[in-house]
């Protein structure tokens, strides 16, 4: 049995629905289909999820929302019309949206989450109806019915372990099962979404639950490339990448696959294949437990913005018992998670996602660090980006770091931070956000086009 997830770009129009149906029905193993909400039809288009967020904002403000409501229904109408299906389903979609608004209009968080989830929910109903329209046995399966239970953290849900036993029961069902991506149900029955791009997570949870032979993730590119194709034109395709490498690359900014989506499948060793809905015969990229990496120690280079760094220094910090713990405790008390903590003898930096540090939190955190830890120096650096050079083969190669620093120096990129974890599967560079494109391009040229002088050898 295979689980096939189709991203927003693969279900953005009636034409794309037809392509999805062709792909699914061409392989009887493709029994579980996960769909996102309709994505962009062209680069300036707006994703359904963003239209829904705009609708929720209007409702929250108590303003007239008929324009946003109309745009959402029109997107579905366009698909239904292109598919030459009955427009009756549009009344169901309108009734569903209106009832979410009526039930949750006084609870902003819940309203936003349920409206966001409706994008995939209504699209899955439409996809199942389309399979039926073509004469196939297919069912819309709500995530509650499928057994996807999650924590009650709107916009950040995590799967609850007992889900997997429930999901396994789907194996007994017949026909094509169409499950909406992006959300599950909390124990008390609320619809709760994963973070943005989270339909990838739904597909992975289902693949793990039914112990699928393969989790296919259909998108709009022929493969995962060694660098974001929006930064470097026609980059090298990646044929195989390990779970560990992919986790680092997704975290580092490869938006093609959600960075939390590997956890469910990697424990069971279920392979993932990223494929193109518009070119399904292309082999795609396989994400696997192990790969041969002797010829390509570096598999990819990723960059992501939106970080900041709180830097503290204190004379004889290294002798002060519990300093790091107390510093991180202050952040924990404010509900802030940190990403990295590079440190020197008398200083430590805490790198975190910038959006977590609201002005009020920043004021409290700074005042507590100052008074409780009595530091000599305390400042924040904003607009930071992290660039990751990733590859399992790096730990047995000499000269990899030298090549990176040479390339960055020649591209006139100032390094704010260098970090290499003990796993040696990645190297991380902190840079200012605005230099990400040139830094990534310089690194790509260094590793994949060999334009710089330093070369590396196997140790
Ligand atoms: N390294 C990469 N390899 C391939 N695509 C990438 C990479 N980094 C970023 N992308 C972008 O990810 C896009 C696909 O992800 P996304 O838009 O979320 O697709 P979907 O609509 O299928 O969920 C591609 O069109 C591409 O622009
Ligand atoms: N529609 C949601 C979830 C998702 O996974 O979408 P996509 O497959 O288009 O990345 C979002 O935009 O975040």
């Amino acid at each position: 049995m295979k689980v096939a997830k189709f991203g927003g770009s693969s279900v953005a129009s009636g034409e794309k629905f037809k392509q999805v149906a062709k792909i699914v029905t061409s392989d009887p193993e493709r029994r579980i289909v996960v769909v996102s909400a309709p994505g962009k039809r062209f680069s300036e288009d707006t994703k359904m999820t963003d239209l829904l967020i705009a609708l929720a904002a209007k409702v929250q403000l108590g303003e007239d929302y008929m324009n946003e409501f109309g745009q959402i229904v029109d997107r579905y109408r366009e698909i239904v019309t292109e598919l030459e299906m009955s427009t009756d389903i549009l009344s169901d979609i309108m009734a569903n949206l209106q009832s979410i608004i009526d039930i949750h209009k006084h609870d902003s968080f819940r309203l936003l989450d349920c409206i966001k989830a409706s994008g995939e929910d209504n699209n899955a109903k439409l996809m199942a109806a389309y399979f039926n329209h073509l004469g196939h046995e297919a069912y819309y399966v709500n995530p509650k019915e499928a057994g996807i239970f999650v924590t009650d953290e709107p916009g950040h849900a995590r799967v609850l372990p007992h889900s997997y036993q429930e999901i396994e029961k789907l194996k007994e069902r017949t026909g094509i099962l169409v499950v909406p991506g992006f959300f599950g149900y909390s124990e008390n029955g609320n619809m709760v979404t994963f973070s943005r791009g989270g339909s990838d997570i739904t597909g992975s949870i289902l693949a793990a639950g039914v112990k699928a032979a393969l989790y296919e993730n259909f998108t709009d590119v022929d493969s995962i490339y060694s660098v974001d194709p929006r930064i470097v034109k026609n980059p090298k395709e990646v044929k195989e990448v390990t779970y560990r490498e992919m986790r680092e690359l997704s975290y580092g900014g490869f938006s093609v696959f959600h960075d939390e989506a590997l956890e469910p499948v990697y424990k069971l060793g279920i392979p993932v294949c990223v494929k193109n809905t518009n070119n399904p015969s292309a082999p795609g990229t396989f994400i696997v437990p192990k790969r041969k990496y002797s010829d390509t120690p570096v598999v990819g280079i990723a960059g992501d913005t939106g970080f900041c760094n709180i830097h503290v220094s204190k004379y004889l910090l290294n002798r002060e018992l519990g300093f790091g713990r107390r510093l991180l405790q202050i952040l924990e008390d404010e509900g802030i998670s940190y990403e990295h903590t590079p440190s020197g003898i008398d200083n430590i930096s805490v790198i975190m996602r910038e959006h977590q540090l609201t002005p009020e939190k920043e004021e409290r955190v700074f005042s507590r660090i100052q008074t409780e830890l009595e530091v000599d120096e305390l400042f924040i650096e904003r607009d930071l980006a992290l660039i990751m050079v990733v590859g399992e083969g790096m730990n047995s190669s000499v000269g990899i770091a030298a090549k990176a620093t040479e390339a960055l120096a020649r591209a006139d990129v100032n390094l704010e931070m260098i970090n290499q974890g003990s796993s040696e599967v990645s190297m991380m560079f902190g840079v200012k956000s605005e230099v990400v494109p040139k830094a990534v391009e310089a690194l790509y040229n260094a590793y994949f086009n060999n334009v710089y002088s330093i070369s590396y050898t196997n140790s």
Side-chain angles (χ1 to χ4, degrees), residues 5-9 35-40 47-50 116 119-120 181-182 195-201 255 258:
K5 177 256 169 176
F6 292 87
S9 55
V35 291
S36 288
K40 292 185 177 190
K47 289 177 97 173
M48 173 66 82
T49 307
D50 293 308
K116 271 156 67 183
E120 340 301 282
F182 195 37
S195 51
R196 290 298 303 268
S199 300
D200 288 342
I201 306 177
S255 53
H258 196 292

PDB file of all heavy atoms in Angstrom, residues 5-9 35-40 47-50 116 119-120 181-182 195-201 255 258, ligand 2:
ATOM      1  N   LYS A   5       0.616  11.929  -1.249  1.00  0.00           N
ATOM      2  CA  LYS A   5       0.174  13.269  -0.836  1.00  0.00           C
ATOM      3  C   LYS A   5       0.342  14.230  -2.008  1.00  0.00           C
ATOM      4  O   LYS A   5       1.384  14.231  -2.675  1.00  0.00           O
ATOM      5  CB  LYS A   5       0.993  13.745   0.371  1.00  0.00           C
ATOM      6  CG  LYS A   5       0.646  15.157   0.824  1.00  0.00           C
ATOM      7  CD  LYS A   5       1.677  16.201   0.407  1.00  0.00           C
ATOM      8  CE  LYS A   5       1.209  17.619   0.634  1.00  0.00           C
ATOM      9  NZ  LYS A   5       2.205  18.645   0.333  1.00  0.00           N
ATOM     10  N   PHE A   6      -0.696  15.012  -2.261  1.00  0.00           N
ATOM     11  CA  PHE A   6      -0.636  16.003  -3.338  1.00  0.00           C
ATOM     12  C   PHE A   6      -0.674  17.397  -2.724  1.00  0.00           C
ATOM     13  O   PHE A   6      -1.643  17.756  -2.043  1.00  0.00           O
ATOM     14  CB  PHE A   6      -1.793  15.787  -4.323  1.00  0.00           C
ATOM     15  CG  PHE A   6      -1.645  14.502  -5.091  1.00  0.00           C
ATOM     16  CD1 PHE A   6      -2.146  13.310  -4.567  1.00  0.00           C
ATOM     17  CD2 PHE A   6      -0.949  14.466  -6.296  1.00  0.00           C
ATOM     18  CE1 PHE A   6      -1.973  12.108  -5.240  1.00  0.00           C
ATOM     19  CE2 PHE A   6      -0.772  13.270  -6.978  1.00  0.00           C
ATOM     20  CZ  PHE A   6      -1.282  12.074  -6.448  1.00  0.00           C
ATOM     21  N   GLY A   7       0.388  18.155  -2.950  1.00  0.00           N
ATOM     22  CA  GLY A   7       0.507  19.495  -2.373  1.00  0.00           C
ATOM     23  C   GLY A   7      -0.411  20.490  -3.061  1.00  0.00           C
ATOM     24  O   GLY A   7      -1.043  20.182  -4.088  1.00  0.00           O
ATOM     25  N   GLY A   8      -0.470  21.684  -2.508  1.00  0.00           N
ATOM     26  CA  GLY A   8      -1.370  22.728  -3.006  1.00  0.00           C
ATOM     27  C   GLY A   8      -1.199  22.995  -4.490  1.00  0.00           C
ATOM     28  O   GLY A   8      -2.180  23.193  -5.221  1.00  0.00           O
ATOM     29  N   SER A   9       0.060  22.972  -4.971  1.00  0.00           N
ATOM     30  CA  SER A   9       0.296  23.253  -6.395  1.00  0.00           C
ATOM     31  C   SER A   9      -0.280  22.131  -7.268  1.00  0.00           C
ATOM     32  O   SER A   9      -0.577  22.345  -8.436  1.00  0.00           O
ATOM     33  CB  SER A   9       1.801  23.410  -6.655  1.00  0.00           C
ATOM     34  OG  SER A   9       2.489  22.261  -6.194  1.00  0.00           O
ATOM     35  N   VAL A  35      -4.727  15.289   0.396  1.00  0.00           N
ATOM     36  CA  VAL A  35      -4.695  16.518  -0.412  1.00  0.00           C
ATOM     37  C   VAL A  35      -4.551  17.754   0.461  1.00  0.00           C
ATOM     38  O   VAL A  35      -5.067  17.833   1.564  1.00  0.00           O
ATOM     39  CB  VAL A  35      -5.956  16.692  -1.310  1.00  0.00           C
ATOM     40  CG1 VAL A  35      -5.977  15.683  -2.414  1.00  0.00           C
ATOM     41  CG2 VAL A  35      -7.232  16.666  -0.509  1.00  0.00           C
ATOM     42  N   SER A  36      -3.828  18.733  -0.110  1.00  0.00           N
ATOM     43  CA  SER A  36      -3.745  20.064   0.494  1.00  0.00           C
ATOM     44  C   SER A  36      -4.916  20.888  -0.029  1.00  0.00           C
ATOM     45  O   SER A  36      -5.660  20.450  -0.909  1.00  0.00           O
ATOM     46  CB  SER A  36      -2.449  20.755   0.074  1.00  0.00           C
ATOM     47  OG  SER A  36      -1.363  20.166   0.713  1.00  0.00           O
ATOM     48  N   ALA A  37      -5.007  22.115   0.467  1.00  0.00           N
ATOM     49  CA  ALA A  37      -5.965  23.077  -0.095  1.00  0.00           C
ATOM     50  C   ALA A  37      -5.399  23.564  -1.425  1.00  0.00           C
ATOM     51  O   ALA A  37      -4.184  23.501  -1.634  1.00  0.00           O
ATOM     52  CB  ALA A  37      -6.115  24.242   0.871  1.00  0.00           C
ATOM     53  N   PRO A  38      -6.266  24.057  -2.333  1.00  0.00           N
ATOM     54  CA  PRO A  38      -5.722  24.544  -3.612  1.00  0.00           C
ATOM     55  C   PRO A  38      -4.616  25.582  -3.402  1.00  0.00           C
ATOM     56  O   PRO A  38      -4.759  26.505  -2.612  1.00  0.00           O
ATOM     57  CB  PRO A  38      -6.952  25.180  -4.284  1.00  0.00           C
ATOM     58  CG  PRO A  38      -8.123  24.462  -3.679  1.00  0.00           C
ATOM     59  CD  PRO A  38      -7.732  24.174  -2.265  1.00  0.00           C
ATOM     60  N   GLY A  39      -3.505  25.380  -4.110  1.00  0.00           N
ATOM     61  CA  GLY A  39      -2.360  26.298  -3.974  1.00  0.00           C
ATOM     62  C   GLY A  39      -2.374  27.335  -5.087  1.00  0.00           C
ATOM     63  O   GLY A  39      -3.430  27.636  -5.670  1.00  0.00           O
ATOM     64  N   LYS A  40      -1.187  27.831  -5.401  1.00  0.00           N
ATOM     65  CA  LYS A  40      -1.087  28.889  -6.414  1.00  0.00           C
ATOM     66  C   LYS A  40      -1.198  28.304  -7.815  1.00  0.00           C
ATOM     67  O   LYS A  40      -0.549  27.316  -8.118  1.00  0.00           O
ATOM     68  CB  LYS A  40       0.265  29.597  -6.287  1.00  0.00           C
ATOM     69  CG  LYS A  40       0.408  30.391  -5.016  1.00  0.00           C
ATOM     70  CD  LYS A  40       1.726  31.138  -5.043  1.00  0.00           C
ATOM     71  CE  LYS A  40       1.860  31.992  -3.805  1.00  0.00           C
ATOM     72  NZ  LYS A  40       2.983  32.916  -3.880  1.00  0.00           N
ATOM     73  N   LYS A  47      -2.675  31.468  -2.289  1.00  0.00           N
ATOM     74  CA  LYS A  47      -3.062  30.115  -1.871  1.00  0.00           C
ATOM     75  C   LYS A  47      -4.405  30.177  -1.140  1.00  0.00           C
ATOM     76  O   LYS A  47      -4.666  31.155  -0.421  1.00  0.00           O
ATOM     77  CB  LYS A  47      -2.039  29.550  -0.880  1.00  0.00           C
ATOM     78  CG  LYS A  47      -0.703  29.192  -1.460  1.00  0.00           C
ATOM     79  CD  LYS A  47       0.237  28.725  -0.362  1.00  0.00           C
ATOM     80  CE  LYS A  47       0.269  27.203  -0.275  1.00  0.00           C
ATOM     81  NZ  LYS A  47       1.275  26.698   0.656  1.00  0.00           N
ATOM     82  N   MET A  48      -5.182  29.122  -1.266  1.00  0.00           N
ATOM     83  CA  MET A  48      -6.457  29.044  -0.537  1.00  0.00           C
ATOM     84  C   MET A  48      -6.237  29.301   0.963  1.00  0.00           C
ATOM     85  O   MET A  48      -7.024  30.019   1.605  1.00  0.00           O
ATOM     86  CB  MET A  48      -7.073  27.659  -0.760  1.00  0.00           C
ATOM     87  CG  MET A  48      -8.303  27.387   0.055  1.00  0.00           C
ATOM     88  SD  MET A  48      -9.673  28.438  -0.411  1.00  0.00           S
ATOM     89  CE  MET A  48     -10.304  27.560  -1.832  1.00  0.00           C
ATOM     90  N   THR A  49      -5.199  28.725   1.536  1.00  0.00           N
ATOM     91  CA  THR A  49      -4.976  28.894   2.982  1.00  0.00           C
ATOM     92  C   THR A  49      -4.819  30.373   3.335  1.00  0.00           C
ATOM     93  O   THR A  49      -5.302  30.829   4.374  1.00  0.00           O
ATOM     94  CB  THR A  49      -3.736  28.099   3.436  1.00  0.00           C
ATOM     95  OG1 THR A  49      -3.896  26.757   2.983  1.00  0.00           O
ATOM     96  CG2 THR A  49      -3.565  28.097   4.945  1.00  0.00           C
ATOM     97  N   ASP A  50      -4.177  31.134   2.451  1.00  0.00           N
ATOM     98  CA  ASP A  50      -4.015  32.567   2.735  1.00  0.00           C
ATOM     99  C   ASP A  50      -5.337  33.319   2.562  1.00  0.00           C
ATOM    100  O   ASP A  50      -5.609  34.269   3.297  1.00  0.00           O
ATOM    101  CB  ASP A  50      -2.899  33.152   1.864  1.00  0.00           C
ATOM    102  CG  ASP A  50      -1.551  32.570   2.275  1.00  0.00           C
ATOM    103  OD1 ASP A  50      -1.224  32.622   3.475  1.00  0.00           O
ATOM    104  OD2 ASP A  50      -0.851  32.014   1.416  1.00  0.00           O
ATOM    105  N   LYS A 116      -8.765  27.666   8.648  1.00  0.00           N
ATOM    106  CA  LYS A 116      -7.604  27.182   7.890  1.00  0.00           C
ATOM    107  C   LYS A 116      -7.799  25.704   7.491  1.00  0.00           C
ATOM    108  O   LYS A 116      -7.569  25.313   6.346  1.00  0.00           O
ATOM    109  CB  LYS A 116      -6.326  27.295   8.732  1.00  0.00           C
ATOM    110  CG  LYS A 116      -5.624  28.645   8.592  1.00  0.00           C
ATOM    111  CD  LYS A 116      -4.753  28.963   9.785  1.00  0.00           C
ATOM    112  CE  LYS A 116      -3.551  28.066   9.947  1.00  0.00           C
ATOM    113  NZ  LYS A 116      -2.786  28.372  11.172  1.00  0.00           N
ATOM    114  N   GLY A 119      -9.835  24.461   4.373  1.00  0.00           N
ATOM    115  CA  GLY A 119      -9.283  24.484   3.016  1.00  0.00           C
ATOM    116  C   GLY A 119      -8.981  23.083   2.516  1.00  0.00           C
ATOM    117  O   GLY A 119      -9.355  22.695   1.400  1.00  0.00           O
ATOM    118  N   GLU A 120      -8.314  22.281   3.360  1.00  0.00           N
ATOM    119  CA  GLU A 120      -7.992  20.915   2.953  1.00  0.00           C
ATOM    120  C   GLU A 120      -9.249  20.033   3.083  1.00  0.00           C
ATOM    121  O   GLU A 120      -9.478  19.149   2.267  1.00  0.00           O
ATOM    122  CB  GLU A 120      -6.848  20.260   3.731  1.00  0.00           C
ATOM    123  CG  GLU A 120      -5.854  21.097   4.490  1.00  0.00           C
ATOM    124  CD  GLU A 120      -5.058  22.108   3.694  1.00  0.00           C
ATOM    125  OE1 GLU A 120      -4.089  21.785   2.987  1.00  0.00           O
ATOM    126  OE2 GLU A 120      -5.412  23.268   3.846  1.00  0.00           O
ATOM    127  N   GLY A 181      -5.245  16.899   4.310  1.00  0.00           N
ATOM    128  CA  GLY A 181      -3.998  17.118   5.045  1.00  0.00           C
ATOM    129  C   GLY A 181      -4.131  18.266   6.025  1.00  0.00           C
ATOM    130  O   GLY A 181      -5.200  18.868   6.156  1.00  0.00           O
ATOM    131  N   PHE A 182      -3.051  18.525   6.771  1.00  0.00           N
ATOM    132  CA  PHE A 182      -2.874  19.773   7.525  1.00  0.00           C
ATOM    133  C   PHE A 182      -3.522  19.822   8.909  1.00  0.00           C
ATOM    134  O   PHE A 182      -3.244  20.721   9.668  1.00  0.00           O
ATOM    135  CB  PHE A 182      -3.393  20.935   6.661  1.00  0.00           C
ATOM    136  CG  PHE A 182      -3.002  22.317   7.088  1.00  0.00           C
ATOM    137  CD1 PHE A 182      -1.750  22.589   7.626  1.00  0.00           C
ATOM    138  CD2 PHE A 182      -3.880  23.390   6.906  1.00  0.00           C
ATOM    139  CE1 PHE A 182      -1.397  23.900   7.986  1.00  0.00           C
ATOM    140  CE2 PHE A 182      -3.537  24.688   7.257  1.00  0.00           C
ATOM    141  CZ  PHE A 182      -2.296  24.942   7.801  1.00  0.00           C
ATOM    142  N   SER A 195       1.704  23.132  11.620  1.00  0.00           N
ATOM    143  CA  SER A 195       2.245  24.401  11.142  1.00  0.00           C
ATOM    144  C   SER A 195       2.105  24.455   9.616  1.00  0.00           C
ATOM    145  O   SER A 195       1.792  23.447   8.966  1.00  0.00           O
ATOM    146  CB  SER A 195       3.688  24.578  11.597  1.00  0.00           C
ATOM    147  OG  SER A 195       4.436  23.452  11.277  1.00  0.00           O
ATOM    148  N   ARG A 196       2.357  25.631   9.037  1.00  0.00           N
ATOM    149  CA  ARG A 196       2.155  25.819   7.600  1.00  0.00           C
ATOM    150  C   ARG A 196       2.942  24.774   6.796  1.00  0.00           C
ATOM    151  O   ARG A 196       4.053  24.408   7.163  1.00  0.00           O
ATOM    152  CB  ARG A 196       2.583  27.242   7.171  1.00  0.00           C
ATOM    153  CG  ARG A 196       1.701  28.362   7.643  1.00  0.00           C
ATOM    154  CD  ARG A 196       0.271  28.314   7.138  1.00  0.00           C
ATOM    155  NE  ARG A 196       0.082  28.291   5.705  1.00  0.00           N
ATOM    156  CZ  ARG A 196      -0.090  29.353   4.927  1.00  0.00           C
ATOM    157  NH1 ARG A 196      -0.079  30.564   5.460  1.00  0.00           N
ATOM    158  NH2 ARG A 196      -0.296  29.223   3.622  1.00  0.00           N
ATOM    159  N   GLY A 197       2.328  24.307   5.735  1.00  0.00           N
ATOM    160  CA  GLY A 197       2.952  23.250   4.935  1.00  0.00           C
ATOM    161  C   GLY A 197       2.727  21.866   5.531  1.00  0.00           C
ATOM    162  O   GLY A 197       3.293  20.873   5.083  1.00  0.00           O
ATOM    163  N   GLY A 198       1.845  21.784   6.546  1.00  0.00           N
ATOM    164  CA  GLY A 198       1.711  20.566   7.346  1.00  0.00           C
ATOM    165  C   GLY A 198       0.985  19.387   6.706  1.00  0.00           C
ATOM    166  O   GLY A 198       0.873  18.328   7.328  1.00  0.00           O
ATOM    167  N   SER A 199       0.512  19.523   5.457  1.00  0.00           N
ATOM    168  CA  SER A 199      -0.090  18.340   4.828  1.00  0.00           C
ATOM    169  C   SER A 199       0.961  17.255   4.613  1.00  0.00           C
ATOM    170  O   SER A 199       0.641  16.060   4.592  1.00  0.00           O
ATOM    171  CB  SER A 199      -0.731  18.695   3.481  1.00  0.00           C
ATOM    172  OG  SER A 199      -1.728  19.649   3.667  1.00  0.00           O
ATOM    173  N   ASP A 200       2.212  17.670   4.468  1.00  0.00           N
ATOM    174  CA  ASP A 200       3.310  16.686   4.380  1.00  0.00           C
ATOM    175  C   ASP A 200       3.329  15.818   5.645  1.00  0.00           C
ATOM    176  O   ASP A 200       3.645  14.626   5.583  1.00  0.00           O
ATOM    177  CB  ASP A 200       4.673  17.395   4.302  1.00  0.00           C
ATOM    178  CG  ASP A 200       4.917  18.086   2.972  1.00  0.00           C
ATOM    179  OD1 ASP A 200       4.229  17.768   2.003  1.00  0.00           O
ATOM    180  OD2 ASP A 200       5.822  18.953   2.923  1.00  0.00           O
ATOM    181  N   ILE A 201       3.013  16.442   6.781  1.00  0.00           N
ATOM    182  CA  ILE A 201       3.032  15.705   8.059  1.00  0.00           C
ATOM    183  C   ILE A 201       1.887  14.688   8.075  1.00  0.00           C
ATOM    184  O   ILE A 201       2.075  13.534   8.479  1.00  0.00           O
ATOM    185  CB  ILE A 201       2.906  16.673   9.265  1.00  0.00           C
ATOM    186  CG1 ILE A 201       3.983  17.758   9.208  1.00  0.00           C
ATOM    187  CG2 ILE A 201       2.966  15.919  10.588  1.00  0.00           C
ATOM    188  CD1 ILE A 201       3.891  18.810  10.310  1.00  0.00           C
ATOM    189  N   SER A 255      11.848  24.328   1.389  1.00  0.00           N
ATOM    190  CA  SER A 255      10.410  24.332   1.699  1.00  0.00           C
ATOM    191  C   SER A 255       9.650  23.224   0.972  1.00  0.00           C
ATOM    192  O   SER A 255       8.472  23.016   1.214  1.00  0.00           O
ATOM    193  CB  SER A 255       9.823  25.689   1.328  1.00  0.00           C
ATOM    194  OG  SER A 255      10.152  25.982  -0.024  1.00  0.00           O
ATOM    195  N   HIS A 258       8.227  19.451   4.455  1.00  0.00           N
ATOM    196  CA  HIS A 258       8.144  20.012   5.812  1.00  0.00           C
ATOM    197  C   HIS A 258       9.173  19.363   6.744  1.00  0.00           C
ATOM    198  O   HIS A 258       9.335  18.150   6.747  1.00  0.00           O
ATOM    199  CB  HIS A 258       6.734  19.776   6.353  1.00  0.00           C
ATOM    200  CG  HIS A 258       6.404  20.604   7.547  1.00  0.00           C
ATOM    201  ND1 HIS A 258       6.995  20.430   8.769  1.00  0.00           N
ATOM    202  CD2 HIS A 258       5.542  21.639   7.706  1.00  0.00           C
ATOM    203  CE1 HIS A 258       6.506  21.297   9.631  1.00  0.00           C
ATOM    204  NE2 HIS A 258       5.621  22.049   9.012  1.00  0.00           N
TER     205      HIS A 258
HETATM  206  N1  LIG B   2      -2.465  24.495   2.859  1.00  0.00           N
HETATM  207  C1  LIG B   2      -1.570  24.513   3.979  1.00  0.00           C
HETATM  208  C2  LIG B   2      -0.932  23.155   4.231  1.00  0.00           C
HETATM  209  C3  LIG B   2      -0.015  22.604   3.162  1.00  0.00           C
HETATM  210  O1  LIG B   2       0.690  21.637   3.390  1.00  0.00           O
HETATM  211  O2  LIG B   2      -0.036  23.211   1.981  1.00  0.00           O
HETATM  212  P1  LIG B   2       0.988  22.899   0.731  1.00  0.00           P
HETATM  213  O3  LIG B   2       0.911  21.439   0.396  1.00  0.00           O
HETATM  214  O4  LIG B   2       0.450  23.796  -0.360  1.00  0.00           O
HETATM  215  O5  LIG B   2       2.396  23.293   1.156  1.00  0.00           O
HETATM  216  C4  LIG B   2      -0.558  25.636   3.826  1.00  0.00           C
HETATM  217  O6  LIG B   2      -0.611  26.371   2.867  1.00  0.00           O
HETATM  218  O7  LIG B   2       0.258  25.797   4.707  1.00  0.00           O
END
